[in-house]
Amino acid sequence: MGVSEAYNKNENVRHLSFVSSKYDILKRFKNISELKQLRTFLALYTGINNERRYEHRILSYDVLHKILLEFKCLKVLSLYRYSMSELPNNIGHLKLLCHLDLSWSYITRLPDSVTTLYNIKTLILYRCSYLVELPREIKNLIELHELNLDYTKSLLEMPSGISSLTKLQTLSKFIVSVGDKHQIRELQELTRLRGKLSIYGLDNVQDIKDVRCANLKGKEGLDDITLIWSSEFYDSRNLELEMNVLNSLEPTKNLKVLQIESYGGNYFPSWLGKPYFANMERIALLGCKKCKSLPSFGNLPLLKYLRIEGMDRVERVGPEFYGSKSFPNLKTLEFENMLSWVDCLNSLTHTMYLSKGFQAERSSPRHAIILKTSFLKNVVRWDDIYFLVIHRATTWYKDFNKHFSYSTGDLQLSSPANTTAYSNFLKYARKHNVDVEINKWHKTLTLINVVLSDVEQKQSNNALVKVWLRDLRALVYDLEDVFDEINYEALGRKFTVDSHGIFGRKLS
């Protein structure tokens, strides 16, 4: 049935919604121009009939550039998922338009006439991946309440004058442009912001006073903030200034989600991790390559997810990280690409005992430590538990990663004791004098044994888990044999060295 047949030639129809098809040509909208009082044109996307998730629809040029512009009373226009690359230049003729949704379109620019839509309250450009700029006079849209720019990856700058949009409640993306070093100051006037805000281009800030004017702390409606610097750590970046910038971007106490990307300072500011942020649930620190230490996150009472990635200069994680309360509600702790990290296993095992829910008194251990670095592999996950599987946890051991394998698909483990890696490992240990490290590993293995016993008790009703735990237990036994053999070899070497030293002196 065509869209025009659905309204039975009722010229008084004011609101029209329909499920878009792969090809919406003019024939489908036959006689629709008779709806002179139409207020709503709403294209709906269902994604059924085995269609690909990201499949777009095609809207006829005649419908977009001719038919729609005849609806002078139109207030809501949704062209969701239509693969158009441009809007009609005279879209400004729709003077009553309040809502414009262009999500998932291929548009690169909005026509200048958009800035004459003085009644518009909602402009949705979600996932317009090819959008490269906004109209220079967007500041004219003073009634705008929502400007959704999520996932507009090609949009690298913003026009000046955003501060004029004082009624904005949703601004998902704000960019400090290269040529406008004071641009972040414009956030000062946007006092009604709420929900999510991502600030890009913070490496372009030149004056700390501008950052203080942004006053994120006073915007109590914001609960999700992302702060992003350039991922290129070029020499001209002022790392001291970046530390001051982040220190001045202290958010509101109502914050629930915080993400910091490519920050160039050596240390994080003191506000990060304060119990003052009692509502914080998710934190991600990504690509902060210059930082030498981690903030104290363990005392955040509601923190459930913590991801730390690409912090190349962090060497150790100690008690200052997990604090006195040791993550009371943490469900997932994820580390990735921690290139300088040493002795991570001991520190995280301690944290795991304090906070990961493996204690006997906790009945549902739904917690995880996910480790993905050049020395650490991933975890296996099933319905009711995450469990830690650690490989290559110290730098001296990285050359042996090829001897350890793990598959989450069939829950199989391979043991070094069953491969030629066993003899190679012994040779390596003797050559590089890693006895001290071996002792540390042996102590850690003892702790893992205790944790494993606890998990075995809690998961005894799950047949698949029981099989996996049995294999894991066998691996632990094999590793214990490896350590015992290494210790034996080390003692033998020590005795041989001492003996040769004594006899050598006697024979000389």
Side-chain angles (χ1 to χ4, degrees), residues 149-166:
L149 299 170
D150 273 334
Y151 300 102
T152 53
K153 60 182 180 181
S154 299
L155 184 64
L156 303 179
E157 60 180 18
M158 298 188 78
S160 58
I162 295 293
S163 58
S164 300
L165 309 180
T166 56

Side-chain angles (χ1 to χ4, degrees), residues 127-145:
R127 285 196 182 274
C128 292
S129 301
Y130 300 96
L131 182 70
V132 296
E133 66 178 9
L134 295 172
R136 288 192 176 186
E137 300 302 318
I138 197 172
K139 61 186 178 182
N140 295 339
L141 305 180
I142 58 175
E143 294 297 320
L144 198 61
H145 285 61

